[in-house]
Amino acid sequence: IEGAKNVAGWLVFANVIGCYWLTNLSFKFNEEVAENFAVIKTIGLSAKQFWWGKFFTSFLPRMWIMTFSYLLFIFLFEFELVLTGQSLVISLWLCFTLVFFQTNFSLYSYPYARYAPLWYNMYVIIAVLFFTILLFPPLTIAFLLLGYLAIFRVLGRINNLEVI
């Protein structure tokens, strides 16, 4: 059982690193130019639909890769479903969080989209520092909640965006 715990831990680590790498690559997919916002405004797409569409473009492929890798380990190496399932839930939550924040940063930073990866990476690094070095989980939770609540600012900014 100790070996299964180690593998489950390494799977979480590998999936989080993979998700972090892919979310940094996703900034190019979520980058918008003024012409696209003009088209989006004219077709009647709501800011929520637009935001969730951008989110799922990044999240769904990663979710399928992670789920498939866990099922592969369960069936090929006969790992315990409970341990691997817990590891999968943690991986999916961390992946959801990283992609959620990436989507917020990429869509809020218009028209300065080239700086969005820098702000996103600084945010993630600070959250990791709060959780690992400072070892103060309430501060980390508050910081992450602030990142989740930022969606209201992003949606407001998209709704109020005037394209000339």
Side-chain angles (χ1 to χ4, degrees), residues 51-150:
W51 191 96
W52 283 108
K54 289 292 189 176
F55 170 80
F56 284 119
T57 301
S58 301
F59 180 70
L60 286 179
R62 187 67 197 143
M63 182 190 75
W64 287 114
I65 291 170
M66 285 175 21
T67 305
F68 181 73
S69 68
Y70 277 96
L71 290 175
L72 189 70
F73 271 93
I74 289 171
F75 291 123
L76 287 181
F77 302 110
E78 298 176 2
F79 285 123
E80 289 187 27
L81 186 60
V82 174
L83 269 177
T84 323
Q86 291 172 348
S87 179
L88 176 62
V89 168
I90 292 169
S91 294
L92 285 173
W93 179 77
L94 289 171
C95 180
F96 181 91
T97 302
L98 287 172
V99 175
F100 191 94
F101 295 155
Q102 181 269 339
T103 307
N104 269 351
F105 276 102
S106 62
L107 294 180
Y108 185 75
S109 61
Y110 174 81
Y112 306 106
R114 64 179 175 216
Y115 299 115
L118 174 69
W119 298 331
Y120 167 76
N121 286 315
M122 286 174 45
Y123 182 85
V124 170
I125 288 169
I126 289 171
V128 168
L129 288 176
F130 283 164
F131 191 71
T132 57
I133 293 176
L134 298 178
L135 294 175
F136 193 59
L139 184 59
T140 308
I141 292 168
F143 195 65
L144 292 178
L145 283 177
L146 179 68
Y148 276 113
L149 291 176

Side-chain angles (χ1 to χ4, degrees), residues 31-61:
E31 191 174 350
E32 291 297 332
V33 294
E35 293 83 12
N36 290 352
F37 278 117
V39 170
I40 290 164
K41 291 272 187 187
T42 59
I43 63 172
L45 188 65
S46 73
K48 286 181 183 179
Q49 291 171 326
F50 176 68
W51 191 96
W52 283 108
K54 289 292 189 176
F55 170 80
F56 284 119
T57 301
S58 301
F59 180 70
L60 286 179

